[in-house]
Amino acid sequence: MDDINKKKLQDLRQKIDEIDNELLRLFETRMETVIEIADFKIANHINILDESREGKVLQKITQVENKELAKPAEEFLKAVMHVSKGIQAERFFKPENGSWKVFPELQEVEEVTGETVGFQGIPGSFSEQALKEYFGNNPKTKNYTNFDDVFDALAANEIDYGVLPLENSFTGGIADVYDLLCRYGFSIVGEKSIQIDHNLLALKGATLGDIKDVCSHSQGFQQCSLYLKQFPQWNQIPVSNTAVSAKKVADAGTPGQASIASRRAAELYGLEILAEKINNNPANFTRFIIIGRHPKFRKGSNKISLAVAISHEPGSLYRVLSHFARNGLNMMKIESRPMADKTWEYLFYIDFEGNLDNPVVKKAIEEIEKESAYFQLLGNYPADRKHLSKVTTE
């Protein structure tokens, strides 16, 4: 490279440095404003997330004159908003004195009741069944297509509570719901365990020999994998919900389609059960959580859920878990999820027995918080032990 080109490259790099310096100044100003907004939300009891605001920010992309840069500009704004959300989330749980807000103000209630409750899926889904078993037939219900739609509806005050599946006894945790819990900062206020009874449904008069396509939720396929191995010629078509698969078959009106769904879905959508109870395991339960905008506390609450991230160094997980043994607490579950913005670092979801009225429990939580790089108390609520005491096979 000759001296002229070297000088040109040097000038361009200097220009980049000047732009970077200006970007950092603007970044600092923006994040300081983000903190002001977070403090305003805390003072006025406003939800941390505002999806409509995010959409308005992304509309600014139209200001980019070089249309080839429109997509990178969108990615840039999304990255900035991701950092902003993280700062706001930390502000919500960490006051100015530098210690995490371990114990939020708890509203004591006799029971959790709501006028309007949302669930993912359509009538006939197991989520709707969990809703009805927990709340009865009193509340109005609203159904949504995706898990995040339920969270959005709760944030927008469209519903009082949401009902979502969190884990299955056979296939494990549902990652999307775990991630949404921390992203939105809502609280678990209750749970309901439902025995999952999968059936093969088709149009009346159809036979197994007619079937070419079978649709269901991906969890339905996993939970019935042994049965499906008998029919490798069937095309498996995933849909958003088991009840949606039943309606899809009913709407299609062709004997070549089948679905894996509940008995109630068969009744609702006029389908015939070709094969009953095709689960791999009859003791197949899904644990559904009831989420609310704010924590609710009941004297009978005996289960606590936490989300913690630990420093990436030897012994850090041991130090967190040691507090359970040291304080005589029974840890019921631990599950890890990779952190989106940190390679090979994990967020741990922990369930254990306890009540926040117990000083030993409070002490243990405070000690766990001190060992955590991130901490969120997800809820203290009554455990539903149905899946431990009763399995119906009839």
Side-chain angles (χ1 to χ4, degrees):
M1 184 183 297
D2 58 34
D3 291 342
I4 295 176
N5 285 327
K6 284 182 180 179
K7 178 65 167 60
K8 183 176 181 180
L9 180 59
Q10 184 179 352
D11 291 343
L12 289 172
R13 284 175 172 169
Q14 184 176 349
K15 186 176 181 181
I16 287 288
D17 290 340
E18 292 171 357
I19 293 170
D20 285 346
N21 290 336
E22 182 65 11
L23 280 174
L24 286 172
R25 187 188 66 78
L26 292 171
F27 174 83
E28 186 175 8
T29 302
R30 189 187 202 280
M31 296 308 155
E32 287 173 349
T33 307
V34 164
I35 291 172
E36 290 181 22
I37 291 171
D39 290 343
F40 179 85
K41 287 179 177 179
I42 292 168
N44 292 277
H45 307 288
I46 299 171
N47 294 319
I48 183 172
L49 190 70
D50 184 350
E51 290 288 349
S52 63
R53 172 61 184 165
E54 184 170 323
K56 290 175 182 175
V57 172
L58 290 176
Q59 287 176 3
K60 297 174 184 177
I61 296 166
T62 56
Q63 300 175 23
V64 176
E65 294 181 4
N66 186 342
K67 298 309 175 186
E68 292 182 359
L69 296 175
K71 185 62 179 176
E74 180 180 356
E75 294 173 358
F76 172 75
L77 282 179
K78 284 182 177 179
V80 171
M81 285 189 290
H82 177 76
V83 174
S84 299
K85 286 179 185 177
I87 288 175
Q88 283 204 17
E90 182 172 329
R91 200 73 176 177
F92 262 65
F93 299 104
K94 192 173 186 179
E96 290 181 1
N97 62 13
S99 104
W100 289 100
K101 187 177 179 181
V102 180
F103 304 110
E105 294 181 7
L106 295 172
Q107 179 184 353
E108 187 170 331
V109 295
E110 292 294 327
E111 60 180 345
V112 173
T113 58
E115 292 185 1
T116 307
V117 183
F119 67 97
Q120 184 268 337
I122 61 175
S125 67
F126 293 109
S127 292
E128 186 201 38
Q129 181 183 340
L131 186 158
K132 290 184 176 297
E133 289 194 19
Y134 189 89
F135 289 98
N137 294 316
N138 295 324
K140 298 176 184 176
T141 63
K142 287 189 175 183
N143 61 295
Y144 298 91
T145 302
N146 301 309
F147 295 140
D148 52 355
D149 294 334
V150 179
F151 281 83
D152 287 341
L154 188 60
N157 294 312
E158 290 179 12
I159 56 177
D160 299 309
Y161 297 100
V163 177
L164 295 148
L166 189 65
E167 62 176 326
N168 178 264
S169 58
F170 179 72
T171 55
I174 299 172
D176 290 346
V177 178
Y178 275 117
D179 292 342
L180 288 164
L181 269 174
C182 279
R183 188 190 309 168
Y184 283 73
F186 293 145
S187 295
I188 302 174
V189 299
E191 70 174 15
K192 172 59 66 173
S193 291
I194 298 294
Q195 186 174 2
I196 303 301
D197 175 20
H198 284 310
N199 306 274
L200 185 71
L201 314 181
L203 292 181
K204 291 181 178 179
T207 66
L208 287 176
D210 295 323
I211 305 305
K212 293 181 177 61
D213 300 323
V214 58
C215 53
S216 188
H217 189 272
S218 58
Q219 291 263 331
F221 291 135
Q222 292 178 51
Q223 293 165 26
C224 303
S225 59
L226 296 180
Y227 177 82
L228 292 171
K229 277 184 179 180
Q230 303 174 68
F231 307 97
Q233 72 275 21
W234 289 355
N235 297 315
Q236 295 181 19
I237 302 172
V239 295
S240 61
N241 185 271
T242 55
V244 169
S245 73
K247 186 175 186 302
K248 178 181 173 67
V249 170
D251 290 344
T254 60
Q257 290 195 11
S259 83
I260 295 174
S262 68
R263 182 176 293 274
R264 182 165 183 267
E267 295 169 356
L268 281 176
Y269 301 109
L271 299 177
E272 187 173 316
I273 298 178
L274 294 187
E276 294 182 306
K277 300 183 183 298
I278 62 174
N279 311 24
N280 292 359
N281 189 336
N284 182 10
F285 284 84
T286 293
R287 174 188 168 212
F288 291 82
I289 54 171
I290 290 80
I291 60 169
R293 283 183 290 275
H294 307 291
K296 305 287 183 182
F297 179 72
R298 282 163 285 177
K299 294 292 185 181
S301 296
N302 58 356
K303 187 174 185 177
I304 295 174
S305 294
L306 306 175
V308 301
I310 57 177
S311 57
H312 195 48
E313 60 184 38
S316 56
L317 179 59
Y318 169 78
R319 288 195 296 272
V320 167
L321 298 184
S322 67
H323 297 298
F324 292 99
R326 192 177 302 159
N327 291 283
L329 301 176
N330 179 31
M331 187 169 65
M332 306 164 72
K333 174 195 168 182
I334 180 169
E335 182 151 344
S336 64
R337 288 282 300 138
M339 298 181 72
D341 56 344
K342 295 184 180 180
T343 304
W344 305 121
E345 294 192 31
Y346 296 86
L347 200 61
F348 292 88
Y349 295 91
I350 301 171
D351 293 339
F352 66 99
E353 291 180 345
N355 185 288
L356 291 178
D357 264 352
N358 186 331
V360 174
V361 170
K362 280 193 171 183
K363 177 176 179 290
I365 292 175
E366 287 170 345
E367 290 172 343
I368 291 167
E369 173 270 325
K370 291 175 184 176
E371 302 284 356
S372 304
Y374 170 86
F375 178 93
Q376 186 175 342
L377 177 63
L378 296 174
N380 185 196
Y381 50 93
D384 182 4
R385 298 182 181 275
K386 175 180 177 182
H387 63 294
L388 299 177
S389 60
K390 179 181 179 182
V391 176
T392 302
T393 57
E394 296 177 359

